[in-house]
Amino acid sequence: MILKSKARKQKRQQMQALIRQNGQAKSIAQYLKKGAGYRYPLGNFLKGEPQWEAELVEELETEFADIRKQLGLLGKIRDAVQDYRKSLQS
Protein backbone atom coordinates (compact mmCIF):
# COMPACT_ATOMS: atom_id res chain seq x y z
CA MET A 1 0.00 0.00 0.00
CA ILE A 2 2.74 2.47 0.89
CA LEU A 3 4.56 1.87 -2.38
CA LYS A 4 1.39 2.43 -4.40
CA SER A 5 0.68 5.64 -2.52
CA LYS A 6 4.22 6.91 -3.12
CA ALA A 7 3.99 5.97 -6.80
CA ARG A 8 0.74 7.91 -7.18
CA LYS A 9 2.22 10.94 -5.44
CA GLN A 10 5.31 10.83 -7.67
CA LYS A 11 3.12 10.51 -10.77
CA ARG A 12 1.11 13.58 -9.72
CA GLN A 13 4.32 15.51 -9.09
CA GLN A 14 5.57 14.58 -12.55
CA MET A 15 2.34 15.92 -14.04
CA GLN A 16 2.98 19.42 -12.68
CA ALA A 17 4.11 22.06 -15.09
CA LEU A 18 7.07 23.99 -13.73
CA ILE A 19 8.97 27.04 -14.85
CA ARG A 20 12.40 27.98 -13.57
CA GLN A 21 13.05 31.55 -12.51
CA ASN A 22 16.31 32.61 -10.90
CA GLY A 23 17.21 28.97 -10.30
CA GLN A 24 13.97 28.18 -8.47
CA ALA A 25 11.14 26.02 -9.79
CA LYS A 26 7.71 27.65 -9.76
CA SER A 27 4.51 25.72 -10.44
CA ILE A 28 2.48 27.15 -13.33
CA ALA A 29 -0.27 24.52 -13.31
CA GLN A 30 -2.41 22.87 -10.68
CA TYR A 31 -3.27 19.15 -10.63
CA LEU A 32 -7.00 18.56 -10.22
CA LYS A 33 -8.31 15.24 -8.98
CA LYS A 34 -11.27 14.11 -11.06
CA GLY A 35 -14.56 13.88 -9.22
CA ALA A 36 -17.28 11.30 -9.55
CA GLY A 37 -18.34 10.51 -13.08
CA TYR A 38 -16.68 12.31 -15.93
CA ARG A 39 -16.43 15.84 -14.49
CA TYR A 40 -13.70 17.64 -12.61
CA PRO A 41 -14.92 19.54 -9.53
CA LEU A 42 -14.20 23.19 -10.24
CA GLY A 43 -15.80 24.93 -7.24
CA ASN A 44 -12.66 25.57 -5.19
CA PHE A 45 -10.54 25.97 -8.30
CA LEU A 46 -12.61 28.88 -9.62
CA LYS A 47 -12.94 30.82 -6.34
CA GLY A 48 -11.72 34.35 -6.80
CA GLU A 49 -11.72 34.17 -10.60
CA PRO A 50 -13.72 36.65 -12.67
CA GLN A 51 -17.30 35.54 -13.29
CA TRP A 52 -16.88 35.49 -17.07
CA GLU A 53 -13.90 33.16 -16.71
CA ALA A 54 -15.68 30.83 -14.29
CA GLU A 55 -18.69 30.63 -16.62
CA LEU A 56 -16.48 29.85 -19.61
CA VAL A 57 -14.57 27.14 -17.73
CA GLU A 58 -17.83 25.58 -16.48
CA GLU A 59 -19.26 25.56 -20.01
CA LEU A 60 -16.14 24.00 -21.47
CA GLU A 61 -15.90 21.44 -18.66
CA THR A 62 -19.45 20.33 -19.49
CA GLU A 63 -18.36 19.77 -23.10
CA PHE A 64 -15.18 17.96 -22.04
CA ALA A 65 -17.19 15.75 -19.65
CA ASP A 66 -19.38 14.70 -22.58
CA ILE A 67 -16.25 13.88 -24.60
CA ARG A 68 -14.79 11.86 -21.70
CA LYS A 69 -18.04 9.91 -21.45
CA GLN A 70 -18.05 9.18 -25.18
CA LEU A 71 -14.42 8.03 -25.01
CA GLY A 72 -15.27 5.73 -22.12
CA LEU A 73 -18.17 4.21 -24.03
CA LEU A 74 -16.07 3.78 -27.17
CA GLY A 75 -13.43 2.04 -25.08
CA LYS A 76 -16.05 -0.37 -23.76
CA ILE A 77 -17.21 -1.08 -27.31
CA ARG A 78 -13.62 -1.69 -28.41
CA ASP A 79 -13.06 -4.08 -25.49
CA ALA A 80 -16.29 -5.96 -26.28
CA VAL A 81 -15.29 -6.34 -29.94
CA GLN A 82 -11.84 -7.63 -28.93
CA ASP A 83 -13.42 -10.11 -26.50
CA TYR A 84 -15.81 -11.25 -29.24
CA ARG A 85 -12.95 -11.78 -31.70
CA LYS A 86 -11.04 -13.79 -29.11
CA SER A 87 -14.08 -15.96 -28.46
CA LEU A 88 -14.36 -16.71 -32.19
CA GLN A 89 -10.74 -17.84 -32.32
CA SER A 90 -11.16 -20.29 -29.43
Side-chain angles (χ1 to χ4, degrees), residues 15-18 26-31 45:
M15 292 173 59
Q16 290 181 354
L18 301 174
K26 179 181 175 185
S27 177
I28 58 170
Q30 182 179 356
Y31 173 80
F45 179 72

Side-chain angles (χ1 to χ4, degrees), residues 4 8 14 18 26 54 57 59:
K4 287 183 181 180
R8 285 188 203 129
Q14 291 172 353
L18 301 174
K26 179 181 175 185
V57 169
E59 182 179 334

Side-chain angles (χ1 to χ4, degrees), residues 32-82:
L32 291 177
K33 186 175 179 180
K34 192 170 75 61
Y38 298 97
R39 293 186 57 86
Y40 282 86
L42 301 174
N44 292 335
F45 179 72
L46 295 174
K47 282 185 182 174
E49 298 299 331
Q51 184 176 352
W52 68 267
E53 188 175 336
E55 289 172 359
L56 179 61
V57 169
E58 287 285 348
E59 182 179 334
L60 291 172
E61 176 54 24
T62 299
E63 296 295 323
F64 286 132
D66 289 342
I67 292 169
R68 286 185 210 103
K69 182 177 181 180
Q70 291 171 9
L71 285 171
L73 293 171
L74 287 171
K76 288 179 182 180
I77 291 170
R78 179 200 61 220
D79 294 345
V81 168
Q82 287 176 348

Side-chain angles (χ1 to χ4, degrees), residues 2-19:
I2 294 173
L3 291 176
K4 287 183 181 180
S5 178
K6 284 184 181 180
R8 285 188 203 129
K9 185 176 179 181
Q10 288 174 345
K11 185 176 181 180
R12 266 189 247 125
Q13 288 174 345
Q14 291 172 353
M15 292 173 59
Q16 290 181 354
L18 301 174
I19 188 169

